[in-house]
Amino acid sequence: MSAALAETIARDAADGRAGEYDLAGFGEAWVDALVEAAFATPTRAKGGFYASCKFIVGGGKKTRAKYDDEVVKHLTAALRARGFEDDRGASACEACQGTYKYQHDTDKDLKYLHVFPRVTHEAEGGEAAAAAGGTQSPEYRACACDLEEFERLVEMYCPSFSQKRALLRRMKVMEHALGALEQKVIAMESLNDREQTMYDSMVEVAAKIEFLQQALDDMIKKGRLTKGEQGEIVEDLELKLEDLNLMVNEANEEGKPKRAEMLESKKEIVVKKIDSVRAKPPIVYTVPHERELLDLKKELNSLKKIAAQSKGKLMSGADAAKCANIPKLEERIANLENSEEKGWYEDECRALLFPPVAEKKAPAKAKASGAKTNSGWLTKAAKGGSRGGGGSAKASSTRGPSNPFAMLGDD
């Protein structure tokens, strides 16, 4: 039964399909065998496709009896044993390979575990490992530089918790790809040019990943998190607490008091982390040009509306003069949105980093168009005034966005 389902999963991935699989009747042994057969090694997938496996693991009164009460515990334990991580924000993309997340669909009254396996892309002629990150991508650049340069890049381009975590996810994919190449070398298999380039360029990847993980822990301890980041971390920790509760119950049922005691101590640490995150005031980022962008987009939408209403009609001279500015407005907006001041993965993390700006009248007259604007992010506590003054001389001498945390100090 496990082998047949694993073959179905493999066929779906090879054909580029995201499948849904019912685990009714599966016990611990079958679940472990399924995970071993389907996910112990990277899944062969259609070129450019990142597999997503949606397992039905339970449901309401009508379907509850079909499922082992502990199938979720067995499945997550088997996945963790093979290097998978719980990620509430995971999706079928390159950065989320090797993750899983739980979902309770109240509309269908079904419980799911979504698994996002690591993949190799057969359509790329065996080059999947080398293609884990393009050579121009931030993660490739981060993996290819030396450790000192890497730390500088992280400070410049990944100042926030969310950006660091996005980079960490991608670097873990790169690390896995590098491991696949190392296995080919050990097996005396030849590497193509693209794979050889990647294999030769990767430097101290494990040490860089360890540095990022430590940096994330430090940011949590020091409270350098936005309100959105705090909420996401608390959700992750609460899920971890649920997993620990399941493992404690399992240890007690198996008569392993020492293991149960060890797990209880881990639970206490998680609870303290949750309390610590909630207790600290969130920081707030503001970005340059944000108000200008809002005004420009509002003006652009207004002019486009005029142009649309005048389509097929003779436009007045005043309206024609106004609409002639549409290309200039679009160019200005594009320049601001694609500014080099923007850090890595900022767009991806925007919802967690920047709260929506309320539409309100400006309290003061806008600056003249030729006035110099502040570059980089500004950081302040959610409550109270700004922490510190402008950026340091060191920050101003480097390229890229200034580090907002330089204004927070080391407290």
Side-chain angles (χ1 to χ4, degrees), residues 295-326:
D295 292 342
L296 288 171
K297 288 180 177 179
K298 186 175 180 179
E299 183 180 357
L300 179 61
N301 289 335
S302 176
L303 294 181
K304 284 184 174 180
K305 187 175 181 180
I306 293 174
Q309 290 174 343
S310 302
K311 192 172 182 180
K313 301 177 182 178
L314 184 62
M315 189 181 296
S316 69
D319 286 345
K322 291 178 182 178
C323 292
N325 289 321
I326 289 178

PDB file of all heavy atoms in Angstrom, residues 295-326:
ATOM      1  N   ASP A 295       1.136  58.887  -3.584  1.00  0.00           N
ATOM      2  CA  ASP A 295       0.602  60.048  -4.303  1.00  0.00           C
ATOM      3  C   ASP A 295       0.703  59.861  -5.817  1.00  0.00           C
ATOM      4  O   ASP A 295      -0.229  60.191  -6.564  1.00  0.00           O
ATOM      5  CB  ASP A 295       1.359  61.313  -3.882  1.00  0.00           C
ATOM      6  CG  ASP A 295       1.087  61.705  -2.436  1.00  0.00           C
ATOM      7  OD1 ASP A 295       0.080  61.216  -1.884  1.00  0.00           O
ATOM      8  OD2 ASP A 295       1.877  62.460  -1.858  1.00  0.00           O
ATOM      9  N   LEU A 296       1.847  59.334  -6.269  1.00  0.00           N
ATOM     10  CA  LEU A 296       2.041  59.128  -7.709  1.00  0.00           C
ATOM     11  C   LEU A 296       1.040  58.115  -8.270  1.00  0.00           C
ATOM     12  O   LEU A 296       0.477  58.299  -9.341  1.00  0.00           O
ATOM     13  CB  LEU A 296       3.469  58.660  -7.985  1.00  0.00           C
ATOM     14  CG  LEU A 296       4.583  59.704  -7.818  1.00  0.00           C
ATOM     15  CD1 LEU A 296       5.947  59.038  -7.904  1.00  0.00           C
ATOM     16  CD2 LEU A 296       4.455  60.800  -8.867  1.00  0.00           C
ATOM     17  N   LYS A 297       0.829  57.035  -7.533  1.00  0.00           N
ATOM     18  CA  LYS A 297      -0.103  56.008  -8.002  1.00  0.00           C
ATOM     19  C   LYS A 297      -1.537  56.534  -8.020  1.00  0.00           C
ATOM     20  O   LYS A 297      -2.323  56.189  -8.914  1.00  0.00           O
ATOM     21  CB  LYS A 297       0.002  54.761  -7.110  1.00  0.00           C
ATOM     22  CG  LYS A 297       1.285  53.985  -7.322  1.00  0.00           C
ATOM     23  CD  LYS A 297       1.355  52.757  -6.428  1.00  0.00           C
ATOM     24  CE  LYS A 297       2.626  51.962  -6.707  1.00  0.00           C
ATOM     25  NZ  LYS A 297       2.737  50.770  -5.844  1.00  0.00           N
ATOM     26  N   LYS A 298      -1.861  57.362  -7.026  1.00  0.00           N
ATOM     27  CA  LYS A 298      -3.195  57.947  -6.995  1.00  0.00           C
ATOM     28  C   LYS A 298      -3.406  58.860  -8.202  1.00  0.00           C
ATOM     29  O   LYS A 298      -4.454  58.826  -8.864  1.00  0.00           O
ATOM     30  CB  LYS A 298      -3.367  58.737  -5.695  1.00  0.00           C
ATOM     31  CG  LYS A 298      -4.766  59.283  -5.483  1.00  0.00           C
ATOM     32  CD  LYS A 298      -4.864  59.951  -4.114  1.00  0.00           C
ATOM     33  CE  LYS A 298      -6.282  60.496  -3.889  1.00  0.00           C
ATOM     34  NZ  LYS A 298      -6.406  61.139  -2.547  1.00  0.00           N
ATOM     35  N   GLU A 299      -2.382  59.677  -8.496  1.00  0.00           N
ATOM     36  CA  GLU A 299      -2.468  60.572  -9.657  1.00  0.00           C
ATOM     37  C   GLU A 299      -2.539  59.777 -10.957  1.00  0.00           C
ATOM     38  O   GLU A 299      -3.323  60.110 -11.861  1.00  0.00           O
ATOM     39  CB  GLU A 299      -1.255  61.503  -9.674  1.00  0.00           C
ATOM     40  CG  GLU A 299      -1.288  62.519 -10.810  1.00  0.00           C
ATOM     41  CD  GLU A 299      -0.082  63.440 -10.805  1.00  0.00           C
ATOM     42  OE1 GLU A 299       0.760  63.320  -9.884  1.00  0.00           O
ATOM     43  OE2 GLU A 299       0.025  64.262 -11.732  1.00  0.00           O
ATOM     44  N   LEU A 300      -1.727  58.694 -11.053  1.00  0.00           N
ATOM     45  CA  LEU A 300      -1.722  57.873 -12.257  1.00  0.00           C
ATOM     46  C   LEU A 300      -3.082  57.223 -12.494  1.00  0.00           C
ATOM     47  O   LEU A 300      -3.595  57.216 -13.626  1.00  0.00           O
ATOM     48  CB  LEU A 300      -0.639  56.795 -12.144  1.00  0.00           C
ATOM     49  CG  LEU A 300      -0.507  55.829 -13.323  1.00  0.00           C
ATOM     50  CD1 LEU A 300      -0.152  56.575 -14.601  1.00  0.00           C
ATOM     51  CD2 LEU A 300       0.542  54.755 -13.023  1.00  0.00           C
ATOM     52  N   ASN A 301      -3.678  56.690 -11.453  1.00  0.00           N
ATOM     53  CA  ASN A 301      -5.001  56.056 -11.584  1.00  0.00           C
ATOM     54  C   ASN A 301      -6.056  57.064 -12.029  1.00  0.00           C
ATOM     55  O   ASN A 301      -6.944  56.744 -12.830  1.00  0.00           O
ATOM     56  CB  ASN A 301      -5.410  55.415 -10.253  1.00  0.00           C
ATOM     57  CG  ASN A 301      -4.582  54.185  -9.930  1.00  0.00           C
ATOM     58  OD1 ASN A 301      -4.061  53.546 -10.824  1.00  0.00           O
ATOM     59  ND2 ASN A 301      -4.468  53.865  -8.651  1.00  0.00           N
ATOM     60  N   SER A 302      -5.935  58.285 -11.503  1.00  0.00           N
ATOM     61  CA  SER A 302      -6.886  59.329 -11.882  1.00  0.00           C
ATOM     62  C   SER A 302      -6.773  59.675 -13.368  1.00  0.00           C
ATOM     63  O   SER A 302      -7.769  59.796 -14.075  1.00  0.00           O
ATOM     64  CB  SER A 302      -6.635  60.578 -11.027  1.00  0.00           C
ATOM     65  OG  SER A 302      -7.477  61.638 -11.430  1.00  0.00           O
ATOM     66  N   LEU A 303      -5.515  59.775 -13.856  1.00  0.00           N
ATOM     67  CA  LEU A 303      -5.292  60.103 -15.270  1.00  0.00           C
ATOM     68  C   LEU A 303      -5.718  58.952 -16.183  1.00  0.00           C
ATOM     69  O   LEU A 303      -6.269  59.183 -17.267  1.00  0.00           O
ATOM     70  CB  LEU A 303      -3.817  60.446 -15.500  1.00  0.00           C
ATOM     71  CG  LEU A 303      -3.306  61.720 -14.817  1.00  0.00           C
ATOM     72  CD1 LEU A 303      -1.843  61.952 -15.151  1.00  0.00           C
ATOM     73  CD2 LEU A 303      -4.146  62.925 -15.217  1.00  0.00           C
ATOM     74  N   LYS A 304      -5.475  57.722 -15.744  1.00  0.00           N
ATOM     75  CA  LYS A 304      -5.894  56.568 -16.547  1.00  0.00           C
ATOM     76  C   LYS A 304      -7.415  56.506 -16.650  1.00  0.00           C
ATOM     77  O   LYS A 304      -7.963  56.086 -17.679  1.00  0.00           O
ATOM     78  CB  LYS A 304      -5.344  55.273 -15.952  1.00  0.00           C
ATOM     79  CG  LYS A 304      -3.858  55.060 -16.225  1.00  0.00           C
ATOM     80  CD  LYS A 304      -3.386  53.715 -15.708  1.00  0.00           C
ATOM     81  CE  LYS A 304      -1.953  53.452 -16.122  1.00  0.00           C
ATOM     82  NZ  LYS A 304      -1.462  52.143 -15.622  1.00  0.00           N
ATOM     83  N   LYS A 305      -8.078  56.914 -15.572  1.00  0.00           N
ATOM     84  CA  LYS A 305      -9.540  56.938 -15.582  1.00  0.00           C
ATOM     85  C   LYS A 305     -10.042  57.976 -16.591  1.00  0.00           C
ATOM     86  O   LYS A 305     -10.990  57.721 -17.343  1.00  0.00           O
ATOM     87  CB  LYS A 305     -10.055  57.256 -14.190  1.00  0.00           C
ATOM     88  CG  LYS A 305     -11.563  57.141 -14.051  1.00  0.00           C
ATOM     89  CD  LYS A 305     -11.989  57.360 -12.600  1.00  0.00           C
ATOM     90  CE  LYS A 305     -13.489  57.222 -12.454  1.00  0.00           C
ATOM     91  NZ  LYS A 305     -13.920  57.427 -11.049  1.00  0.00           N
ATOM     92  N   ILE A 306      -9.375  59.135 -16.618  1.00  0.00           N
ATOM     93  CA  ILE A 306      -9.740  60.170 -17.595  1.00  0.00           C
ATOM     94  C   ILE A 306      -9.529  59.663 -19.014  1.00  0.00           C
ATOM     95  O   ILE A 306     -10.375  59.849 -19.896  1.00  0.00           O
ATOM     96  CB  ILE A 306      -8.902  61.452 -17.355  1.00  0.00           C
ATOM     97  CG1 ILE A 306      -9.288  62.099 -16.025  1.00  0.00           C
ATOM     98  CG2 ILE A 306      -9.080  62.444 -18.503  1.00  0.00           C
ATOM     99  CD1 ILE A 306      -8.412  63.277 -15.628  1.00  0.00           C
ATOM    100  N   ALA A 307      -8.387  58.991 -19.241  1.00  0.00           N
ATOM    101  CA  ALA A 307      -8.078  58.473 -20.573  1.00  0.00           C
ATOM    102  C   ALA A 307      -9.090  57.424 -21.000  1.00  0.00           C
ATOM    103  O   ALA A 307      -9.515  57.377 -22.162  1.00  0.00           O
ATOM    104  CB  ALA A 307      -6.667  57.886 -20.588  1.00  0.00           C
ATOM    105  N   ALA A 308      -9.505  56.575 -20.057  1.00  0.00           N
ATOM    106  CA  ALA A 308     -10.467  55.521 -20.378  1.00  0.00           C
ATOM    107  C   ALA A 308     -11.831  56.103 -20.714  1.00  0.00           C
ATOM    108  O   ALA A 308     -12.523  55.647 -21.639  1.00  0.00           O
ATOM    109  CB  ALA A 308     -10.576  54.548 -19.210  1.00  0.00           C
ATOM    110  N   GLN A 309     -12.237  57.119 -19.956  1.00  0.00           N
ATOM    111  CA  GLN A 309     -13.542  57.745 -20.194  1.00  0.00           C
ATOM    112  C   GLN A 309     -13.578  58.506 -21.521  1.00  0.00           C
ATOM    113  O   GLN A 309     -14.625  58.657 -22.127  1.00  0.00           O
ATOM    114  CB  GLN A 309     -13.872  58.694 -19.043  1.00  0.00           C
ATOM    115  CG  GLN A 309     -14.171  57.980 -17.734  1.00  0.00           C
ATOM    116  CD  GLN A 309     -14.343  58.939 -16.576  1.00  0.00           C
ATOM    117  OE1 GLN A 309     -13.948  60.115 -16.647  1.00  0.00           O
ATOM    118  NE2 GLN A 309     -14.932  58.446 -15.477  1.00  0.00           N
ATOM    119  N   SER A 310     -12.404  58.965 -21.968  1.00  0.00           N
ATOM    120  CA  SER A 310     -12.325  59.742 -23.208  1.00  0.00           C
ATOM    121  C   SER A 310     -12.049  58.881 -24.430  1.00  0.00           C
ATOM    122  O   SER A 310     -11.895  59.415 -25.533  1.00  0.00           O
ATOM    123  CB  SER A 310     -11.225  60.808 -23.074  1.00  0.00           C
ATOM    124  OG  SER A 310     -11.469  61.655 -21.979  1.00  0.00           O
ATOM    125  N   LYS A 311     -11.946  57.571 -24.248  1.00  0.00           N
ATOM    126  CA  LYS A 311     -11.631  56.687 -25.365  1.00  0.00           C
ATOM    127  C   LYS A 311     -12.729  56.768 -26.430  1.00  0.00           C
ATOM    128  O   LYS A 311     -13.909  56.610 -26.156  1.00  0.00           O
ATOM    129  CB  LYS A 311     -11.505  55.241 -24.865  1.00  0.00           C
ATOM    130  CG  LYS A 311     -10.903  54.306 -25.890  1.00  0.00           C
ATOM    131  CD  LYS A 311     -10.633  52.936 -25.277  1.00  0.00           C
ATOM    132  CE  LYS A 311      -9.986  52.020 -26.293  1.00  0.00           C
ATOM    133  NZ  LYS A 311      -9.706  50.675 -25.728  1.00  0.00           N
ATOM    134  N   GLY A 312     -12.312  57.044 -27.672  1.00  0.00           N
ATOM    135  CA  GLY A 312     -13.256  57.153 -28.771  1.00  0.00           C
ATOM    136  C   GLY A 312     -13.914  58.514 -28.866  1.00  0.00           C
ATOM    137  O   GLY A 312     -14.752  58.738 -29.732  1.00  0.00           O
ATOM    138  N   LYS A 313     -13.533  59.403 -27.935  1.00  0.00           N
ATOM    139  CA  LYS A 313     -14.105  60.752 -27.952  1.00  0.00           C
ATOM    140  C   LYS A 313     -12.974  61.775 -28.104  1.00  0.00           C
ATOM    141  O   LYS A 313     -11.804  61.463 -27.900  1.00  0.00           O
ATOM    142  CB  LYS A 313     -14.873  61.029 -26.652  1.00  0.00           C
ATOM    143  CG  LYS A 313     -16.013  60.069 -26.374  1.00  0.00           C
ATOM    144  CD  LYS A 313     -16.657  60.397 -25.035  1.00  0.00           C
ATOM    145  CE  LYS A 313     -17.769  59.425 -24.698  1.00  0.00           C
ATOM    146  NZ  LYS A 313     -18.378  59.711 -23.364  1.00  0.00           N
ATOM    147  N   LEU A 314     -13.354  62.988 -28.433  1.00  0.00           N
ATOM    148  CA  LEU A 314     -12.379  64.060 -28.540  1.00  0.00           C
ATOM    149  C   LEU A 314     -12.057  64.564 -27.136  1.00  0.00           C
ATOM    150  O   LEU A 314     -12.924  65.034 -26.403  1.00  0.00           O
ATOM    151  CB  LEU A 314     -12.942  65.209 -29.392  1.00  0.00           C
ATOM    152  CG  LEU A 314     -11.974  66.379 -29.663  1.00  0.00           C
ATOM    153  CD1 LEU A 314     -10.766  65.882 -30.444  1.00  0.00           C
ATOM    154  CD2 LEU A 314     -12.693  67.487 -30.427  1.00  0.00           C
ATOM    155  N   MET A 315     -10.780  64.453 -26.738  1.00  0.00           N
ATOM    156  CA  MET A 315     -10.359  64.852 -25.402  1.00  0.00           C
ATOM    157  C   MET A 315     -10.085  66.355 -25.364  1.00  0.00           C
ATOM    158  O   MET A 315      -9.540  66.918 -26.317  1.00  0.00           O
ATOM    159  CB  MET A 315      -9.095  64.071 -25.013  1.00  0.00           C
ATOM    160  CG  MET A 315      -8.679  64.231 -23.564  1.00  0.00           C
ATOM    161  SD  MET A 315      -7.157  63.312 -23.164  1.00  0.00           S
ATOM    162  CE  MET A 315      -7.691  61.625 -23.440  1.00  0.00           C
ATOM    163  N   SER A 316     -10.459  67.004 -24.301  1.00  0.00           N
ATOM    164  CA  SER A 316     -10.196  68.435 -24.156  1.00  0.00           C
ATOM    165  C   SER A 316      -8.695  68.675 -24.072  1.00  0.00           C
ATOM    166  O   SER A 316      -7.917  67.787 -23.719  1.00  0.00           O
ATOM    167  CB  SER A 316     -10.878  68.979 -22.903  1.00  0.00           C
ATOM    168  OG  SER A 316     -10.247  68.461 -21.743  1.00  0.00           O
ATOM    169  N   GLY A 317      -8.296  69.904 -24.373  1.00  0.00           N
ATOM    170  CA  GLY A 317      -6.875  70.234 -24.337  1.00  0.00           C
ATOM    171  C   GLY A 317      -6.278  70.057 -22.960  1.00  0.00           C
ATOM    172  O   GLY A 317      -5.153  69.570 -22.813  1.00  0.00           O
ATOM    173  N   ALA A 318      -7.032  70.416 -21.931  1.00  0.00           N
ATOM    174  CA  ALA A 318      -6.534  70.303 -20.552  1.00  0.00           C
ATOM    175  C   ALA A 318      -6.334  68.836 -20.165  1.00  0.00           C
ATOM    176  O   ALA A 318      -5.314  68.463 -19.577  1.00  0.00           O
ATOM    177  CB  ALA A 318      -7.513  70.976 -19.589  1.00  0.00           C
ATOM    178  N   ASP A 319      -7.330  67.991 -20.522  1.00  0.00           N
ATOM    179  CA  ASP A 319      -7.214  66.559 -20.210  1.00  0.00           C
ATOM    180  C   ASP A 319      -6.083  65.915 -20.997  1.00  0.00           C
ATOM    181  O   ASP A 319      -5.359  65.052 -20.492  1.00  0.00           O
ATOM    182  CB  ASP A 319      -8.532  65.845 -20.503  1.00  0.00           C
ATOM    183  CG  ASP A 319      -9.600  66.144 -19.461  1.00  0.00           C
ATOM    184  OD1 ASP A 319      -9.232  66.657 -18.388  1.00  0.00           O
ATOM    185  OD2 ASP A 319     -10.783  65.865 -19.723  1.00  0.00           O
ATOM    186  N   ALA A 320      -5.929  66.324 -22.264  1.00  0.00           N
ATOM    187  CA  ALA A 320      -4.852  65.768 -23.092  1.00  0.00           C
ATOM    188  C   ALA A 320      -3.496  66.110 -22.509  1.00  0.00           C
ATOM    189  O   ALA A 320      -2.572  65.272 -22.489  1.00  0.00           O
ATOM    190  CB  ALA A 320      -4.968  66.289 -24.519  1.00  0.00           C
ATOM    191  N   ALA A 321      -3.351  67.345 -22.004  1.00  0.00           N
ATOM    192  CA  ALA A 321      -2.085  67.768 -21.396  1.00  0.00           C
ATOM    193  C   ALA A 321      -1.786  66.953 -20.131  1.00  0.00           C
ATOM    194  O   ALA A 321      -0.643  66.565 -19.870  1.00  0.00           O
ATOM    195  CB  ALA A 321      -2.141  69.260 -21.074  1.00  0.00           C
ATOM    196  N   LYS A 322      -2.855  66.702 -19.345  1.00  0.00           N
ATOM    197  CA  LYS A 322      -2.674  65.905 -18.133  1.00  0.00           C
ATOM    198  C   LYS A 322      -2.275  64.471 -18.466  1.00  0.00           C
ATOM    199  O   LYS A 322      -1.342  63.904 -17.889  1.00  0.00           O
ATOM    200  CB  LYS A 322      -3.961  65.892 -17.308  1.00  0.00           C
ATOM    201  CG  LYS A 322      -4.317  67.225 -16.667  1.00  0.00           C
ATOM    202  CD  LYS A 322      -5.641  67.107 -15.920  1.00  0.00           C
ATOM    203  CE  LYS A 322      -6.060  68.430 -15.302  1.00  0.00           C
ATOM    204  NZ  LYS A 322      -7.373  68.331 -14.621  1.00  0.00           N
ATOM    205  N   CYS A 323      -2.985  63.866 -19.425  1.00  0.00           N
ATOM    206  CA  CYS A 323      -2.730  62.454 -19.777  1.00  0.00           C
ATOM    207  C   CYS A 323      -1.381  62.258 -20.451  1.00  0.00           C
ATOM    208  O   CYS A 323      -0.845  61.146 -20.467  1.00  0.00           O
ATOM    209  CB  CYS A 323      -3.845  61.936 -20.680  1.00  0.00           C
ATOM    210  SG  CYS A 323      -5.433  61.792 -19.824  1.00  0.00           S
ATOM    211  N   ALA A 324      -0.828  63.334 -21.001  1.00  0.00           N
ATOM    212  CA  ALA A 324       0.506  63.229 -21.603  1.00  0.00           C
ATOM    213  C   ALA A 324       1.570  62.916 -20.557  1.00  0.00           C
ATOM    214  O   ALA A 324       2.671  62.455 -20.892  1.00  0.00           O
ATOM    215  CB  ALA A 324       0.842  64.534 -22.321  1.00  0.00           C
ATOM    216  N   ASN A 325       1.243  63.121 -19.287  1.00  0.00           N
ATOM    217  CA  ASN A 325       2.205  62.849 -18.210  1.00  0.00           C
ATOM    218  C   ASN A 325       2.186  61.397 -17.744  1.00  0.00           C
ATOM    219  O   ASN A 325       2.986  61.021 -16.888  1.00  0.00           O
ATOM    220  CB  ASN A 325       1.909  63.754 -17.007  1.00  0.00           C
ATOM    221  CG  ASN A 325       2.260  65.203 -17.273  1.00  0.00           C
ATOM    222  OD1 ASN A 325       3.269  65.489 -17.909  1.00  0.00           O
ATOM    223  ND2 ASN A 325       1.426  66.111 -16.791  1.00  0.00           N
ATOM    224  N   ILE A 326       1.258  60.591 -18.275  1.00  0.00           N
ATOM    225  CA  ILE A 326       1.150  59.188 -17.829  1.00  0.00           C
ATOM    226  C   ILE A 326       2.464  58.426 -17.985  1.00  0.00           C
ATOM    227  O   ILE A 326       2.912  57.759 -17.037  1.00  0.00           O
ATOM    228  CB  ILE A 326      -0.008  58.480 -18.564  1.00  0.00           C
ATOM    229  CG1 ILE A 326      -1.355  59.009 -18.054  1.00  0.00           C
ATOM    230  CG2 ILE A 326       0.077  56.965 -18.374  1.00  0.00           C
ATOM    231  CD1 ILE A 326      -2.566  58.408 -18.737  1.00  0.00           C
TER     232      ILE A 326
END
